[in-house]
Amino acid sequence: MDLTLTHPSPSQPPPPQPPPSTPPSPPPPLSPPPPSLPPLDTVPSIWFTGGCSSNGTSAVDNVEYVAGGYTASRALFYHDANASRKFYIYWDPDCSCGGAPARWIVDTDAPNTTAPCDLDGDGECSDKAHIDSDEPSLEIGTKA
């Protein structure tokens, strides 16, 4: 009978203990809600003068526009005060949802007030008139 002599292995040190638990950090404070938007009946109407349209719609020549509501970007949109025809002015951050420059648009399509871009839903930048602008508030006195 063969016997093998072995040395007992040194005992393993106990696994390290995790540090005492610390209470969880409090959640970050909620960001304040955005400021409320002014009621539409307090927004003054705007007039477009001196514009012309190649298709004869006269959407931007001596036309009064009144506030119609707010879009998803919190920008005002306006509609023609003349009930017999409908033209709209609105700011679209990207009229194709494909990287087009932000712009103020005059069009016969009402803006979708919940869409983040391409507010007329046509997938392209087709309108009666527009002026490129990164500013979602209408610049009074702007000439295109």
Side-chain angles (χ1 to χ4, degrees):
M1 171 186 235
D2 288 317
L3 291 174
T4 307
L5 182 62
T6 59
H7 293 287
S9 60
S11 64
Q12 295 287 336
Q17 295 295 320
S21 64
T22 58
S25 301
L30 297 175
S31 55
S36 60
L37 298 168
L40 295 179
D41 60 356
T42 64
V43 177
S45 61
I46 58 174
W47 281 87
F48 269 56
T49 58
C52 61
S53 179
S54 60
N55 63 7
T57 60
S58 299
V60 292
D61 189 19
N62 200 30
V63 178
E64 180 184 16
Y65 286 86
V66 295
Y70 293 94
T71 64
S73 66
R74 300 176 53 89
L76 271 167
F77 75 87
Y78 299 84
H79 64 82
D80 187 339
N82 183 341
S84 67
R85 58 183 187 180
K86 280 293 180 197
F87 290 106
Y88 299 88
I89 298 175
Y90 55 90
W91 184 77
D92 197 332
D94 178 350
C95 55
S96 67
C97 286
R103 61 183 64 180
W104 277 94
I105 293 174
V106 177
D107 205 354
T108 54
D109 297 319
N112 178 330
T113 59
T114 60
C117 56
D118 187 18
L119 302 190
D120 65 359
D122 65 1
E124 58 187 21
C125 298
S126 176
D127 52 54
K128 302 296 181 197
H130 69 267
I131 183 169
D132 290 350
S133 174
D134 289 329
E135 182 55 48
S137 58
L138 197 56
E139 301 168 21
I140 304 302
T142 301
K143 293 185 179 181

